[in-house]
Amino acid sequence: MKLSNILSVVNQVEKSKFINFLDRVCSEAIVHDKELAKRVNNLDGQIKNASSGEIIQLFELVLPYFEKSVKEQLAMLGAQATLLTNIVSRDGNCIARLSWIEALYIKEWNAIDSQSKEVKSLILESLNAEEFNASKRLETYYSCVKEAYTNDEKNNRESRITDDERSILNVLANKLDITAEHRSAVEHLVDAIPQTGVQDCLNTLREVGLVFVSRKNLTVYVADEIVSMLNRMQGKELADKHLLRILRTLSDSELSNILKTHGKRIRGKERTEKVAEIIKMGLHTSKILQQDIFNPDTNINDRKERLKTLISDLDLGLEKIGTTLDERTDLIKSSLNSSADNEFNALSATGFKELFSTLKTHFPKLTSLLHKDFEIEENEELDVDKLRALSITPHDILYMLSNEDIKLVRDSMGVSKRGNPRLIILESFADATDKLIENYALLAKRDLTGLKSEGIEIAETDIGIKFEEVTKAIFEQLGLDVDEDLRRSINTSKDKADIILSLSEDDIIIGEAKTCKNGDFAKYSTTSRQVKAYVNRCESSGKRVAQVLIIAPSFSTDFVESAEMDTEINISLLEAAGLKQILDAFKSRRNPNFSAKLFTKGGLLKADLIAKNV
């Protein structure tokens, strides 16, 4: 969930800790950075009175200083804070109940404690060993971690591992080939992680701007921007879900090479077991791509060619693929790290819902798999809105399924067997949405006969929802920001807005999609009550409603006149055929000139005039 959306969800008290920490970082930074001071001064007013948009701007400006300050704070907070930040920065944990975070903590603590006992036995075995084997490497790493932790006592200071010492230990761990789980176990031996006090530690993380805690909902929120920052600080080049995509794309022999490189057993292991073990090891993606997947005698040109093929297999859509091994590795990492927005836009809201529903039909274990792999609380109901909030894209879901499972789903769906099965499945849902867009006017008029003649089978009860979702798809194709996170956060069981378009961090358009079977749409009093409730909800969340846009097949004269005379809110009306006309004009232009502000003129919009000027 993006920081802007979290700021819309939590109240002023819950924002205050983040704002106070950001203010402190900013005040310290501008003393040393005159250029930053100028840019900060351009933001109006005091930070405590700033809008969500201004807070986001300030956060982006001071991010390097924010990250440096967080590093310093975490170094002082110790092992418990490190373990908690590891948990909240994992895939699927950015929104979770307090009780679930505590449960994950206990589960992780027990695993580390058990692992530390095994590591202790290995270290004891190595004390008299002459060979520099895995046990001896662990003993060497343990000795260095212990020294880094206890050397402060010589100067009568509290024992802790500083950020500089952590950097050196990370290099040492990589050189000694110490896996992530063994690193955690060793640190637990040196500085035992407390088993209790999770809520107190979360409150401390809240003080340093890392998490938001809603006392009303007993929920912890971690912004996507913070997750990216924590991953950088932990030296994690890719999120596990993105590393999983790479591993699913590699051959069996390449997976075996990775395990052999790190002294792991491969005989008798299934492909899924190999993938799971590699992810658990916490290896650097760069090392996997440049060294581990290859036989030692593979030359540099063959390695570069393999990464070129991998870029194609992952369908990263890069304009340039680089010429060196480092360039291609960096492009793969940066493309995957920034892929979420493009992947959400690859399918319309309708397409995503239909994909999720179809996958559950053809693979009944899907929801339990998502709960398990993304560590989502079991009683948490999963739908597309929830998945979006957790930043789980359609691609993420498809890569959760093994290569064998995805082929079974593909065959069960009856789609083409040629090409990448995951991409073929995605394309089939994109095509279904395009067909509905082509027949948008029929959908608006609830013309079942017309839709059927075009090969579209749809239940009458589903038409309203489909019309709403296809309208979103059209807006997305027009390049507009359909803000599903914000819509989800402001909607209640009583008041449910259809569409929210974000113009900026603070300005939005509220959209309503209305179908009508016979004649013109004429229900102004009912519609105005609805949209006014949505406006109030948005404004109470700190958003400015620039316009309300109502889309329907056509409007009665009374409806148009009532909208024009309404003094409480600004309303624009647009006929469904007109919106389709605008989209067609947009697609036909090589360099279309379109802005959402064209929807803010008020009254019944002239679609032909807008289309002409796109």
Side-chain angles (χ1 to χ4, degrees), residues 287-304:
K287 192 168 184 292
I288 290 174
L289 293 176
Q290 296 185 0
Q291 299 176 31
D292 295 353
I293 64 175
F294 300 105
N295 293 321
D297 58 351
T298 306
N299 65 47
I300 192 72
N301 286 332
D302 287 342
R303 295 182 191 223
K304 288 193 295 183

Side-chain angles (χ1 to χ4, degrees), residues 347-381:
L347 284 184
S348 67
T350 302
F352 194 179
K353 285 185 180 180
E354 290 184 354
L355 169 69
F356 189 50
S357 176
T358 302
L359 288 177
K360 286 192 292 184
T361 300
H362 293 279
F363 191 79
K365 297 178 182 177
L366 179 64
T367 51
S368 60
L369 180 69
L370 291 172
H371 276 108
K372 177 177 174 289
D373 287 3
F374 283 104
E375 295 185 322
I376 303 167
E377 194 169 0
E378 287 184 6
N379 61 6
E380 186 78 56
E381 185 178 346

Side-chain angles (χ1 to χ4, degrees), residues 96-325:
R97 291 196 307 151
L98 277 166
S99 57
W100 182 241
I101 294 293
E102 288 183 314
L104 290 175
Y105 181 90
I106 294 300
K107 177 184 174 184
E108 188 78 4
W109 189 93
N110 287 332
I112 291 173
D113 192 56
S114 175
Q115 186 78 47
S116 68
K117 290 170 184 173
E118 293 179 23
V119 167
K120 189 174 183 180
S121 298
L122 290 170
I123 290 172
L124 291 172
E125 287 176 13
S126 73
L127 293 178
N128 298 320
E130 295 183 3
E131 183 186 356
F132 196 65
N133 56 17
S135 297
K136 197 68 177 178
R137 294 200 302 271
L138 267 175
E139 191 270 331
T140 302
Y141 182 68
Y142 168 79
S143 299
C144 293
V145 172
K146 187 175 181 182
E147 177 62 24
Y149 180 70
T150 59
N151 61 14
D152 295 298
E153 295 173 2
K154 299 171 187 175
N155 297 316
N156 200 27
R157 294 198 302 262
E158 182 182 356
S159 294
R160 65 184 180 91
I161 297 175
T162 66
D163 187 45
D164 288 340
E165 289 169 335
R166 172 79 58 198
S167 297
I168 295 168
L169 288 173
N170 286 341
V171 174
L172 179 65
N174 287 331
K175 294 296 182 183
L176 294 176
D177 200 17
I178 308 297
T179 63
E181 54 185 345
H182 279 165
R183 293 185 205 185
S184 299
V186 166
E187 291 203 30
H188 184 54
L189 283 175
V190 172
D191 178 21
I193 304 168
Q195 194 172 4
T196 58
V198 176
Q199 289 210 23
D200 289 339
C201 190
L202 275 172
N203 284 331
T204 306
L205 296 182
R206 182 175 167 238
E207 296 278 347
V208 297
L210 292 181
V211 302
F212 294 82
V213 181
S214 170
R215 295 298 176 192
K216 179 182 177 182
N217 301 322
L218 297 176
T219 299
V220 178
Y221 297 93
V222 191
D224 293 344
E225 295 90 334
I226 298 294
V227 171
S228 297
M229 183 188 79
L230 290 173
N231 283 341
R232 284 196 302 273
M233 289 166 53
Q234 294 162 9
K236 196 171 185 177
E237 296 179 299
L238 283 180
D240 287 346
K241 64 180 184 180
H242 291 141
L243 176 58
L244 177 64
R245 294 190 198 182
I246 292 174
L247 299 179
R248 291 269 197 243
T249 310
L250 299 178
S251 68
D252 284 345
S253 60
E254 288 170 332
L255 294 176
S256 295
N257 281 344
I258 297 170
L259 292 172
K260 283 190 293 185
T261 299
H262 297 278
K264 299 293 183 180
R265 184 176 63 84
I266 61 172
R267 188 177 297 277
K269 283 189 177 178
E270 297 291 332
R271 179 181 174 87
T272 51
E273 292 177 288
K274 293 177 184 177
V275 169
E277 185 167 3
I278 292 167
I279 287 179
K280 195 175 178 183
M281 288 162 66
L283 304 174
H284 281 284
T285 306
S286 296
K287 192 168 184 292
I288 290 174
L289 293 176
Q290 296 185 0
Q291 299 176 31
D292 295 353
I293 64 175
F294 300 105
N295 293 321
D297 58 351
T298 306
N299 65 47
I300 192 72
N301 286 332
D302 287 342
R303 295 182 191 223
K304 288 193 295 183
E305 194 61 29
R306 177 64 184 99
L307 292 196
K308 180 182 177 181
T309 306
L310 182 62
I311 288 169
S312 175
D313 291 342
L314 289 168
D315 193 41
L316 298 181
L318 298 174
E319 292 182 5
K320 296 179 180 179
I321 61 169
T323 54
T324 68
L325 198 61

Side-chain angles (χ1 to χ4, degrees), residues 280-495:
K280 195 175 178 183
M281 288 162 66
L283 304 174
H284 281 284
T285 306
S286 296
K287 192 168 184 292
I288 290 174
L289 293 176
Q290 296 185 0
Q291 299 176 31
D292 295 353
I293 64 175
F294 300 105
N295 293 321
D297 58 351
T298 306
N299 65 47
I300 192 72
N301 286 332
D302 287 342
R303 295 182 191 223
K304 288 193 295 183
E305 194 61 29
R306 177 64 184 99
L307 292 196
K308 180 182 177 181
T309 306
L310 182 62
I311 288 169
S312 175
D313 291 342
L314 289 168
D315 193 41
L316 298 181
L318 298 174
E319 292 182 5
K320 296 179 180 179
I321 61 169
T323 54
T324 68
L325 198 61
D326 284 338
E327 284 176 354
R328 289 182 181 178
T329 302
D330 289 343
L331 283 168
I332 290 171
K333 291 188 298 183
S334 62
S335 179
L336 288 172
N337 278 326
S338 60
S339 62
D341 287 343
N342 288 335
E343 288 173 10
F344 278 127
N345 292 335
L347 284 184
S348 67
T350 302
F352 194 179
K353 285 185 180 180
E354 290 184 354
L355 169 69
F356 189 50
S357 176
T358 302
L359 288 177
K360 286 192 292 184
T361 300
H362 293 279
F363 191 79
K365 297 178 182 177
L366 179 64
T367 51
S368 60
L369 180 69
L370 291 172
H371 276 108
K372 177 177 174 289
D373 287 3
F374 283 104
E375 295 185 322
I376 303 167
E377 194 169 0
E378 287 184 6
N379 61 6
E380 186 78 56
E381 185 178 346
L382 290 183
D383 56 22
V384 168
D385 287 340
K386 182 67 177 177
L387 294 171
R388 277 182 176 274
L390 294 174
S391 297
I392 299 173
T393 72
H395 291 67
D396 294 334
I397 296 170
L398 289 167
Y399 276 98
M400 282 294 111
L401 277 64
S402 69
N403 291 357
E404 293 73 23
D405 287 335
I406 202 68
K407 287 174 184 175
L408 290 173
V409 171
R410 175 201 63 190
D411 295 345
S412 178
M413 288 174 59
V415 295
S416 172
K417 292 185 179 182
R418 297 183 65 183
N420 185 322
R422 293 181 175 90
L423 299 181
I424 294 296
I425 290 171
L426 281 169
E427 285 168 7
S428 71
F429 288 95
D431 291 343
T433 300
D434 289 341
K435 198 168 187 179
L436 285 168
I437 290 173
E438 284 305 310
N439 295 281
Y440 184 62
L442 294 176
L443 198 61
K445 295 174 182 176
R446 307 181 73 88
D447 186 348
L448 283 171
T449 304
L451 290 168
K452 193 170 184 178
S453 69
E454 295 293 334
I456 298 171
E457 296 286 344
I458 185 170
E460 187 167 10
T461 52
D462 295 334
I463 284 182
I465 294 172
K466 290 289 184 189
F467 183 63
E468 172 191 322
E469 292 173 348
V470 174
T471 304
K472 291 176 188 176
I474 292 175
F475 286 142
E476 287 171 347
Q477 291 191 17
L478 287 169
L480 303 180
D481 182 5
V482 180
D483 199 331
E484 286 294 283
D485 289 334
L486 177 60
R487 186 182 72 88
R488 188 173 184 272
S489 69
I490 68 109
N491 277 1
T492 66
S493 57
K494 183 181 176 183
D495 299 321

